[in-house]
Amino acid sequence: DAPPVISPQEVFSIRKHADASAYFEWALQRTRERLTTVISSLDDLPADAARDAETFRPFGTLSTVLVPLTVQEEVLGCLSFATARTARQWEPALVMRFERLAQVFAKALAKKRADELLRDREAPLQLALDSADAGVWDLEIATGRIRANEVTRRLFGFERDDEFDFARAVAVIHPDDRQRVLDAIEWGRAHGGPYEHECRVCRPDGTTIWVYSRGRPFSAVTGEPPQRVIGVSIDITERKQTESQLRGALDEHDRLPERPEHENLYLRRESRERRARSEIVGRRA
């Protein structure tokens, strides 16, 4: 049976709703199979593509190339190139260029989708982090640009309008801690897993605080090197000061052998318990 002729109303419906599954069944099946479809003339289409041919004609399409937008094994869509004045033969070299262009589009779409998914997931987390006075940041590896919330800027001593990037963030880290931080970040990038570190931050106003940071490399496309590092930072100055005071008190008691042994044991136990509570807080952050 001859396929029904598509009406002008149906053409408008396809254009408006972009639902072509009922009209381009043959072409879409090839796209799902990750195959490039080259059509030099609608008359060359096979019999099982008759519905597709009748749909192409009202659009004015005489010849076309359909290239699937594929990332790994997933098809994200289709990139179409068509002629409407005259039919043409598509040279293999030109089709290859179309396929390379489709790869660029596919990666851009995958990144956009991953960014949107990440933002959706981050929304409730951001609310919780703001309530916990935690700094959230997003490092773009290629450019060194950092997007950060107000808490992060405050931790590192940057104002709202100050330019904030990786080089400036590293510059305010205490020189004795700087290499340790860089090594931790590089380990995370090389292994693709989370990393953490503690460091002193020497802020422009002359104050120095201790900051705990945890980051995780993130890639928009599975199997590719990470493009971003997303992380959180919190102020642990009070914890460090408490540890230092306990350590100093313990050392002082160790130097006084005439003190009763049970006092030394109590102080050591108190130090261990405080340190354990601090580590639990750090892991939760």
Side-chain angles (χ1 to χ4, degrees):
D1 294 339
V5 176
I6 186 170
S7 67
Q9 290 78 14
E10 288 178 298
V11 172
F12 175 76
S13 177
I14 297 173
R15 288 174 174 169
K16 181 177 180 181
H17 301 290
D19 181 8
S21 58
Y23 301 95
F24 298 99
E25 184 177 356
W26 176 81
L28 287 178
Q29 181 58 39
R30 289 180 56 83
T31 299
R32 294 189 188 102
E33 295 172 0
R34 304 189 298 280
L35 298 173
T36 297
T37 301
V38 180
I39 303 173
S40 297
S41 171
L42 298 182
D43 295 334
D44 297 337
L45 287 172
D48 56 349
R51 175 63 168 169
D52 298 63
E54 291 305 318
T55 304
F56 276 125
R57 287 192 173 92
F59 282 92
T61 301
L62 298 179
S63 58
T64 185
V65 177
L66 306 172
V67 186
L69 300 173
T70 307
V71 176
Q72 299 297 323
E73 299 298 319
E74 183 180 6
V75 178
L76 304 181
C78 177
L79 191 60
S80 173
F81 304 87
T83 63
R85 292 184 178 180
T86 59
R88 67 165 295 169
Q89 295 292 325
W90 301 97
E91 299 83 0
L94 181 59
V95 174
M96 290 180 62
R97 290 175 62 185
F98 289 160
E99 290 175 336
R100 287 196 293 269
L101 183 61
Q103 291 175 5
V104 175
F105 272 89
K107 290 182 179 180
L109 285 174
K111 184 178 185 303
K112 182 176 183 295
R113 188 172 65 172
D115 289 344
E116 291 173 347
L117 179 62
L118 183 62
R119 282 195 297 271
D120 291 342
R121 291 178 175 176
E122 282 181 345
L125 177 61
Q126 181 65 58
L127 179 60
L129 290 172
D130 288 343
S131 301
D133 200 29
V136 184
W137 44 267
D138 181 346
L139 166 64
E140 190 175 83
I141 296 176
T143 64
R145 185 176 64 90
I146 296 177
R147 292 187 302 157
N149 66 353
E150 291 300 318
V151 177
T152 303
R153 288 180 167 272
R154 186 172 70 246
L155 288 175
F156 286 83
F158 290 90
E159 299 294 336
R160 178 191 294 268
D161 298 327
D162 290 344
E163 191 172 350
F164 189 32
D165 58 22
F166 182 70
R168 288 174 173 79
V170 171
V172 298
I173 295 175
H174 194 285
D176 293 344
D177 303 336
R178 195 171 295 157
Q179 190 57 51
R180 185 175 70 254
V181 171
L182 293 174
D183 290 344
I185 295 173
E186 182 57 35
W187 185 93
R189 289 178 56 186
H191 293 80
Y195 67 88
E196 58 185 3
H197 59 74
E198 298 176 353
C199 67
R200 287 164 290 180
V201 174
C202 306
R203 301 189 290 191
D205 63 2
T207 60
T208 298
I209 64 171
W210 276 93
V211 173
Y212 166 86
S213 296
R214 180 178 178 86
R216 175 185 288 275
F218 179 80
S219 176
V221 181
T222 303
E224 291 198 354
Q227 295 89 38
R228 301 158 60 191
V229 179
I230 301 171
V232 60
S233 298
I234 59 172
D235 186 342
I236 58 170
T237 305
E238 184 177 349
R239 190 195 87 186
K240 284 292 187 178
Q241 290 173 344
T242 301
E243 290 178 356
S244 179
Q245 292 169 359
L246 286 172
R247 204 160 35 241
L250 184 59
D251 290 343
E252 181 180 350
H253 274 255
D254 285 343
R255 290 193 296 269
L256 298 173
E258 69 275 9
R259 295 275 183 152
E261 180 61 25
H262 72 274
E263 289 188 16
N264 282 335
L265 291 175
Y266 172 79
L267 189 58
R268 291 177 185 275
R269 184 170 62 254
E270 179 69 13
S271 175
R272 287 196 300 270
E273 290 176 354
R274 284 178 177 270
R275 186 177 296 110
R277 288 196 295 271
S278 298
E279 290 175 354
I280 291 173
V281 171
R283 287 196 295 271
R284 286 179 178 173

